[in-house]
Structures are given as C-alpha cells and as structure tokens.
Amino acid sequence: MQWHFSPATGSPFWLNRAADLSFDPRQDVKGVEDLNLFSDVTAELRDVPVANLVPRGYGDQACLLNVFDSGGTTGAPKRVIQLQDWMHRSADQVTRQLTRHSLPVGALWLTVAPTGPHLVGDVLQRAAASLGSPGLSVDMDPRWVRKLIAQGRSGEVDAYTDHIVEQCRRVLLGQDIGVLAATTPLLERFAQEDDLLEAINSKVEAIIWGGTHMDPDTREVLSSEIFPDVPLIGMYGNTMMLTALIERPGLTASDPCVFDPVSPHVFLSVVDPDSGNQVGVGERGQVVVSHVSKSMFIPNNFERDTALRVLPVAGLSGDAVADVAPLPKVEGAAVIEGVY
C-alpha cells in the first residue's frame, strides 16, 4: 500500500483515485480482508491511458513487456500491463504448480489458445519454455466467435472451429506432441475426430485445459472415457489476475476441481453477489479476485465467474475455488463462451 499510494512510487492511475477514497490505504489496509474497502474499479481500465498504470517508483527502469486485454465478453476490453518483474514471478509460480503434476520436461507442447492481447497464450508459451519446449501454437480469436454466436451465425462458427481443428490436426499428426493445452470446447471437438483421438491417446502425456469452465460431468467423461490414459490438468485464470492458477494436485476425476490462490499476490474470495458477504465453505457464490504486486494493484474485482468456496491449502491466504462456472449474465449482457 505504501508503494502504490505514495506520490513518489504510485501509478498516476491510483494516485489520481486516492483523493476519492473514503479511507487511507496506507493506514487502513493491513490485511487481505481490508482489500474489500476498495470498490471494483476495473471498468475504468477500459479507457485509462496505459502509461498511467506504470508505478512511478520504477523510474526509467520500468520494462513494459505486454499490454493485455480482457476478453471483452461483456463490453469493451479492460487493459492491464505486464512488467518484466511480474512476468518472472508469474512464470515461476505457474511452472512450480505444473511441476507438481509431473509434467514431462522437454516434451513438445501444442498450445491452442488466444495470443495477441490475450494473457492466456503468453502464460502457456512461457510455461512450455520453462519446461524445455519450443511450444508449437495455434491461435484463435474468441471475440470473433462470440460475435458470430450473438448474431446467430452458427454456420460461420462451425466453419471457424473446423479451421482451428484442421490446423491442430497437422500438428498432432505430424509432430510428437507430449503436452496439449486447449479449451474445453476444443477438447470435446477433438473427441469427435477418430484420428485426433487416437493421436492424443497414443502420444500426449498431459492435457492442460482452461480458458472456459468444465462442468464436473464433462470433466469425468473426458478423464475416464475419452482420454483415460492422459492426465487432465485444469487451469483457471483471467486478465485481472495477471497469471493463472493450476488445479490442486492429487484430485481424481470425481473430485471437485479445486484451484488455490497464489499468496501473497493473488487473493480470491467467494461472495453472495447481492450482499457481497462471503458464502459458507462448500457454497456457491461469485468469485472476487485481488491482484497485489509491485507492478499492479487490482483490488476487489468481481469476476464473471461463480464457484464453490473451498478452504485453501495450509499457508495460503483467502479462499480456494472449485467447479468454476460462468455467471449467466454480467451487467445485463449474456455471457457467451464459444470456443474459449
């Protein structure tokens, strides 16, 4: 709090907003629970100049690597920055979590995910590199697919999905892929293609799924019947987290898929969307995410997800979440997932 709200070190964005706060963050925010003193300001990230997000404390040493956009599911995308120091922290924590799942080191990856302004492609490609893979990739444009779905252009959605699948086919059949990272809808689509199903089950050593939710029944069917010999590892993340959470190790296909927070930088809470009060353990509520790092501060962000509240593993702060699913509507607009 001292860093983000001191005139010499804070970003113009937060220093400008500080005058409107009814409390003093440097005095009143002493723990994770105090982050709910802040209102959700993420809507302002749609229009704020990117330069205003960089903390002044970096001076001329700020190394801005990326500007990431949210998916734009319910309005104009929100923008966040990735500085070099946070990139290293994020990559390290994702790699540590994946290593706990015994992912093969040096195996070739195929990542099927949005790149460009989207965070997920960057996270996965860096994870692949950290585990010794050059990381082949197939890009996708989820915003275009959502637009097609919203307009009822289902034939074009099918054609675009076929376009992605055909690119993946060339890689899966022609390369010795050891790790496949893809979204739930694409895994379901791969399962309809006999040659892809055979290639994945015969060569791939692990599947990382993410980008959209996977309901418990689908997770169990994919794990037990479609890809019975390939471990499925869930990944949950969003732009406001500026990183990704990896499924808790040791879970079976019939267990709830649990994601733990990343202390001391990413905190989760599960709340009643009407009252804002924390729900009981095992109850479903809306996911609230706070990102606290040197490079960015995004407190009390009400995400478009619901989840079951779970106690985190010992030593972590905040809530863990399980069985993440989208809210049906956000700000009055229907949530469309599409291929992502």
Side-chain angles (χ1 to χ4, degrees):
M1 295 303 103
Q2 294 294 333
W3 171 265
H4 285 290
F5 290 95
S6 295
T9 55
S11 68
F13 174 77
W14 277 113
L15 294 177
N16 290 338
R17 290 205 94 268
D20 297 326
L21 299 176
S22 60
F23 59 95
D24 183 350
R26 290 182 288 178
Q27 299 295 325
D28 300 328
V29 179
K30 301 175 181 178
V32 177
E33 295 79 9
D34 297 325
L35 293 172
N36 62 18
L37 291 171
F38 292 93
S39 59
D40 185 347
V41 301
T42 55
E44 298 179 30
L45 297 178
R46 292 186 168 108
D47 302 308
V48 62
V50 170
N52 286 0
L53 298 175
V54 180
R56 292 174 176 171
Y58 283 93
D60 58 6
Q61 300 301 309
C63 183
L64 178 58
L65 297 182
N66 298 100
V67 178
F68 292 120
D69 285 4
S70 65
T73 307
T74 54
K78 306 164 188 175
R79 294 185 181 87
V80 298
I81 59 171
Q82 177 173 253
L83 299 183
Q84 188 174 54
D85 57 343
W86 175 251
M87 180 275 291
H88 288 306
R89 286 183 180 274
S90 173
D92 287 348
Q93 74 88 10
V94 170
T95 301
R96 285 198 305 272
Q97 292 187 70
L98 288 174
T99 301
R100 294 169 64 197
H101 286 275
S102 301
L103 253 69
V105 175
L108 200 61
W109 283 43
L110 169 60
T111 296
V112 193
T115 54
H118 299 279
L119 175 68
V120 62
D122 185 80
V123 167
L124 287 167
Q125 288 172 353
R126 292 187 189 280
S130 69
L131 290 170
S133 171
L136 284 77
S137 62
V138 172
D139 190 21
M140 64 168 68
D141 185 352
R143 292 179 189 168
W144 178 240
V145 176
R146 291 188 187 114
K147 186 174 182 178
L148 294 175
I149 293 172
Q151 295 176 353
R153 297 156 66 181
S154 58
E156 292 179 67
V157 173
D158 292 340
Y160 184 77
T161 304
D162 290 343
H163 170 64
I164 295 173
V165 171
E166 190 56 37
Q167 293 177 78
C168 294
R169 173 176 278 109
R170 294 192 186 99
V171 178
L172 287 167
L173 300 185
Q175 301 289 332
D176 189 17
I177 299 299
V179 178
L180 170 63
T183 62
T184 304
L186 282 174
L187 291 175
E188 294 173 324
R189 183 67 174 74
F190 293 158
Q192 299 173 22
E193 307 287 333
D194 290 342
D195 56 345
L196 297 184
L197 193 59
E198 180 181 356
I200 293 169
N201 279 315
S202 64
K203 295 191 295 187
V204 173
E205 299 177 60
I207 294 172
I208 301 171
W209 62 268
T212 187
H213 82 289
M214 184 182 289
D215 65 71
D217 290 341
T218 300
R219 179 167 168 261
E220 185 159 17
V221 169
L222 288 175
S223 295
S224 304
E225 300 179 23
I226 307 300
F227 306 114
D229 300 320
V230 187
L232 260 68
I233 305 164
M235 184 178 78
Y236 171 50
N238 53 56
T239 306
M240 299 301 111
M241 277 188 201
L242 267 168
T243 192
L245 313 180
I246 306 300
E247 176 180 334
R248 182 183 292 178
L251 303 175
T252 68
S254 57
D255 290 328
C257 187
V258 178
F259 300 96
D260 287 297
V262 182
S263 298
H265 298 296
V266 177
F267 304 103
L268 311 175
S269 58
V270 185
V271 305
D272 181 287
D274 296 321
S275 67
N277 296 327
Q278 189 178 53
V279 302
V281 174
E283 295 181 357
R284 182 168 290 275
Q286 187 171 0
V287 179
V288 179
V289 178
S290 292
H291 174 101
V292 184
S293 68
K294 183 179 180 181
S295 62
M296 280 213 75
F297 177 53
I298 310 173
N300 211 31
N301 165 44
F302 281 70
E303 270 295 335
R304 62 176 182 87
D305 303 315
T306 69
L308 302 177
R309 180 181 170 225
V310 179
L311 295 177
V313 298
L316 300 180
S317 299
D319 291 335
V321 296
D323 289 344
V324 178
L327 286 168
K329 288 189 175 182
V330 176
E331 299 174 3
V335 173
I336 300 172
E337 293 188 295
V339 292
Y340 184 59

